[in-house]
Amino acid sequence: MTIENHMSAAPTRCALGLGSNLGDPTANLDDAVRRLEATSGITLVARSSNYRTPPWGPVPQDDFVNICVVIDTTLSPQDLLKRCLEIENKLGRVRDVRWGPRVIDVDVLIYGMETVAEPDLEVPHPRMGERAFVLIPLAEIWPDAPLADGRTAAAALATCPDQDGVVKLPES
Ligand code: X6L
Ligand code: MG
Ligand code: MG
């Protein structure tokens, strides 16, 4: 008789932030989510509503559509980042203007309770606690998401400025 050894790394619950303000933003977001779902080692747990959000940062540009997704993954933080960047490239992202318009942006916001401080990846995302375009969709699907400062997404949202400009879009 054989004894099978079912070894499988426990998946880690993560949050990703996605945004687009070029082409057909909602179609780009749908495409990116489909590609995430189709990734071996990633299971989609929840997807937020679509939100129209005013551009944040120093570059004047069109409004964004932002969402968050919660996933369970067996990928390492670096492999998850690689997959996010691969999806950005597949959708035609061109990195020209820093903080400028983009077809798609896929950011790793939270990776379990882990802290990652590497040149290309900081997790939890160090500035997400001040950004309504991240916190509103995230709190919709994971209010208890753990931020870098120890607060939850819902607690950070309670004191987050500039929420008025963020508008939930009807389901398409
Ligand atoms: C001074 C310097 C003040 C830089 C702010 C803020 C830079 C945000 C970059 C900043 C600064 C960012 C999105 C966006 C961007 C998005 C919306 C960024 C990266 N991405 N606005 N702006 N949604 N609504 O996904 O977040 S550029
Ligand atoms: Mg990014
Ligand atoms: Mg971003």
Side-chain angles (χ1 to χ4, degrees):
M1 190 167 92
T2 57
I3 299 171
E4 288 186 79
N5 206 356
H6 293 280
M7 293 290 290
S8 52
T12 303
R13 186 144 295 188
C14 301
L16 308 179
L18 294 83
S20 171
N21 71 343
L22 284 181
D24 184 339
T26 61
N28 297 338
L29 293 167
D30 288 348
D31 192 342
V33 172
R34 267 195 302 273
R35 290 175 191 276
L36 287 166
E37 276 188 283
T39 303
S40 173
I42 294 180
T43 304
L44 186 72
V45 174
R47 175 195 167 140
S48 75
S49 305
N50 294 330
Y51 291 86
R52 181 167 51 76
T53 67
W56 199 256
V59 179
Q61 56 189 309
D62 288 349
D63 283 355
F64 281 74
V65 181
N66 282 105
I67 66 169
C68 286
V69 300
V70 173
I71 62 170
D72 284 337
T73 191
T74 54
L75 301 182
S76 68
Q78 278 293 344
D79 283 345
L80 179 58
L81 172 64
K82 262 170 53 186
R83 181 61 182 141
C84 292
L85 299 179
E86 193 173 78
I87 290 170
E88 291 181 352
N89 291 335
K90 197 82 187 171
L91 269 62
R93 178 164 184 183
V94 178
R95 287 181 181 269
D96 38 20
V97 180
R98 190 183 187 198
W99 298 330
R102 65 280 307 266
V103 166
I104 191 74
D105 178 43
V106 186
D107 293 335
V108 180
L109 302 173
I110 294 171
Y111 186 94
M113 294 298 291
E114 290 186 36
T115 297
V116 181
E118 288 165 10
D120 58 341
L121 181 62
E122 276 190 274
V123 176
H125 190 292
R127 288 166 300 279
M128 61 185 288
E130 313 145 16
R131 295 182 180 172
F133 72 77
V134 176
L135 289 179
I136 290 175
L138 181 58
E140 178 192 339
I141 54 172
W142 191 9
D144 292 331
L147 307 196
D149 63 4
R151 294 183 299 171
T152 64
L157 184 57
T159 61
C160 180
D162 303 312
Q163 295 185 42
D164 293 1
V166 176
V167 176
K168 184 172 165 172
L169 295 172
E171 287 176 50
S172 47

